[in-house]
C-alpha cells in the first residue's frame, strides 16, 4: 500500500469513527458500496462533518474528543450522585428494619410473659 493510499484509508476510517460508525467484520465489504447518504446517525445529535484535509480531520476528532469527555464527566457525576442517593436509601431501609425488629422483639417478650 502506498503512502498516499494509506493516508486516504486513515482519513476515511477516522471520518467513520467521528461519525460514530464502527464497522463489523462482515459489514465492511457490504457498506463499502453503499452511498454515504444511506447511513443513519447513531444518536439524535450526531452530525457528520466532512474534512477537506487531514488537519481538518484531526481538528474534528479533537473536538469530538472534547465533547465526549464532557459527556462522560457528566455521566460519571450522575452515577456518583445516584450511588450516594442509593446508599442513603439503603441506610434508611436498614434503620427502619432494625427499629421494626426491635419493636417486634419487645412485643414478643411482652406477649411471652
Amino acid at each position: 500500500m502506498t503512502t498516499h493510499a494509506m493516508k486516504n484509508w486513515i482519513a476515511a476510517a477516522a471520518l467513520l469513527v467521528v461519525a460514530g460508525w464502527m464497522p463489523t467484520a462482515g459489514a465492511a465489504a457490504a457498506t463499502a458500496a453503499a452511498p454515504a447518504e444511506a447511513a443513519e446517525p447513531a444518536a439524535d445529535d450526531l452530525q457528520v462533518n466532512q474534512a477537506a484535509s487531514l488537519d481538518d480531520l484531526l481538528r474534528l476528532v479533537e473536538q469530538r474528543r472534547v465533547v465526549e469527555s464532557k459527556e462522560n464527566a457528566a455521566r460519571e457525576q450522575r452515577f456518583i450522585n445516584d450511588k450516594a442517593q442509593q446508599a442513603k436509601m439503603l441506610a434508611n431501609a436498614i434503620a427502619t428494619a432494625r427499629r421494626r425488629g426491635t419493636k417486634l422483639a419487645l412485643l414478643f417478650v411482652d406477649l411471652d410473659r
Side-chain angles (χ1 to χ4, degrees):
M1 182 179 282
T2 66
T3 304
H4 181 69
M6 178 76 90
K7 286 181 181 178
N8 286 340
W9 185 87
I10 291 171
L15 280 174
L16 294 174
V17 171
V18 168
W21 184 80
M22 298 301 291
T24 60
T31 57
E37 296 81 29
E40 296 205 15
D44 292 337
D45 62 345
L46 184 63
Q47 191 174 24
V48 178
N49 297 316
Q50 296 293 330
S53 68
L54 289 177
D55 290 333
D56 288 343
L57 178 61
L58 177 61
R59 180 182 51 79
L60 290 172
V61 170
E62 288 173 345
Q63 287 174 349
R64 184 64 191 168
R65 185 177 301 146
V66 168
V67 168
E68 288 177 356
S69 177
K70 289 178 182 177
E71 290 172 351
N72 287 339
R75 189 177 304 116
E76 288 173 5
Q77 188 60 49
R78 284 192 309 271
F79 176 83
I80 290 169
N81 292 343
D82 290 347
K83 185 177 176 182
Q85 181 65 26
Q86 290 170 359
K88 288 178 187 177
M89 291 170 59
L90 178 61
N92 287 340
I94 290 171
T96 301
R98 286 185 179 156
R99 283 192 303 271
R100 184 172 183 200
T102 302
K103 287 179 183 178
L104 290 174
L106 290 174
L107 180 62
F108 180 73
V109 169
D110 285 343
L111 292 175
D112 195 35
R113 290 186 204 184

